[in-house]
Amino acid sequence: RVITNKNNLGTSIARNQGINVALGELILYIDDDAVLLSNDIFGKVVDTMYNNPNVGQLGGVHYADVNKNKRVFTQVIMGKDGFLDRNKSNLPIKGLHINNEMIIPTCFCVIRADIIRNIGGFDPFLFFLEEDNDVSKRIKNYGYDLAVNSEIEFFHLTGSSPRNLYERYRAKNYLIVKDYGLHFKIHY
């Protein structure tokens, strides 16, 4: 089923529209500029989710090219300042890796349908940036684990969408104040 909007309503609203019509127990998100690199990725996703009922959101290992020559990250760990910690984000992992300090990028991820609905979907204020950071944090706060399966690999053409500093810092500041409070923002 294809949902068409006359105007670009943003990533969060579009994903919420998909949530509203989805019929399955799992919802898989994949951006139009992402390519799956693993064999039998859907079987691996389903097996991982059904064998690990406390995993609310699942991601894979992100590569910078389709030949897997350069890994972008194995997990996404945010630093205390709310920005990506590149060193921690690229530590080697093997098999299923559960780490509730990470976020799962929504360029490719799977979320249990009941969980995404119960947490209220994606925040529509986050038009394009930081929606993945926000939803992962809310899934953790709802009591579910975040995981990456190293057997699930994908390539994503990162930075392909237009971004400017205003949009980036608007979303980041909103998220920091929303999740941590104004005192945290002022401190950092």
Side-chain angles (χ1 to χ4, degrees):
R1 182 168 178 193
V2 176
I3 299 171
T4 305
N5 297 307
K6 290 183 181 183
N7 299 313
N8 182 357
L9 302 175
T11 305
S12 294
I13 290 175
R15 289 186 174 134
N16 288 339
Q17 290 173 323
I19 292 166
N20 291 334
V21 299
L23 301 175
E25 294 176 29
L26 303 173
I27 300 176
L28 185 138
Y29 298 92
I30 184 167
D31 285 3
D32 62 344
D33 58 350
V35 177
L36 304 178
L37 302 175
S38 302
N39 294 327
D40 187 28
I41 199 161
F42 299 110
K44 290 174 183 172
V45 163
V46 170
D47 287 347
T48 301
M49 294 301 279
Y50 284 106
N51 291 325
N52 300 279
N54 205 53
V55 171
Q57 186 179 20
L58 175 68
V61 176
H62 179 181
Y63 286 91
D65 62 282
V66 294
N67 297 318
K68 300 189 249 184
N69 291 321
K70 181 180 179 196
R71 193 174 59 215
V72 176
F73 53 74
T74 54
Q75 56 186 333
V76 176
I77 306 288
M78 304 307 280
K80 293 252 186 237
D81 60 357
F83 289 90
L84 179 69
D85 182 325
R86 292 195 181 276
N87 292 330
K88 288 184 180 177
S89 296
N90 210 7
L91 296 174
I93 62 171
K94 186 147 178 83
L96 184 65
H97 179 69
I98 296 173
N99 181 346
N100 289 328
E101 291 181 28
M102 70 180 155
I103 64 164
I104 306 292
T106 53
C107 58
F108 171 79
C109 79
V110 177
I111 302 175
R112 294 184 190 279
D114 60 332
I115 293 172
I116 193 69
R117 287 185 180 110
N118 288 339
I119 66 168
F122 288 84
D123 185 336
F125 181 82
L126 297 167
F127 182 85
F128 172 66
L129 299 167
E130 301 297 336
E131 75 284 348
D132 42 11
N133 198 340
D134 179 59
V135 84
S136 288
K137 181 161 181 47
R138 289 189 291 126
I139 289 170
K140 288 185 284 193
N141 290 344
Y142 194 61
Y144 285 86
D145 292 324
L146 306 178
V148 171
N149 185 335
S150 67
E151 296 178 3
I152 298 170
E153 301 167 311
F154 68 95
F155 158 70
H156 181 230
L157 188 60
T158 57
S160 62
S161 300
R163 300 171 184 182
N164 64 44
L165 276 177
Y166 170 76
E167 291 169 347
R168 179 168 295 285
Y169 282 96
R170 178 182 150 276
K172 181 61 75 179
N173 285 323
Y174 170 79
L175 184 65
I176 289 171
V177 171
K178 175 183 174 183
D179 290 342
Y180 301 103
L182 187 57
H183 68 283
F184 184 90
K185 173 68 179 143
I186 292 169
H187 177 75
Y188 284 100

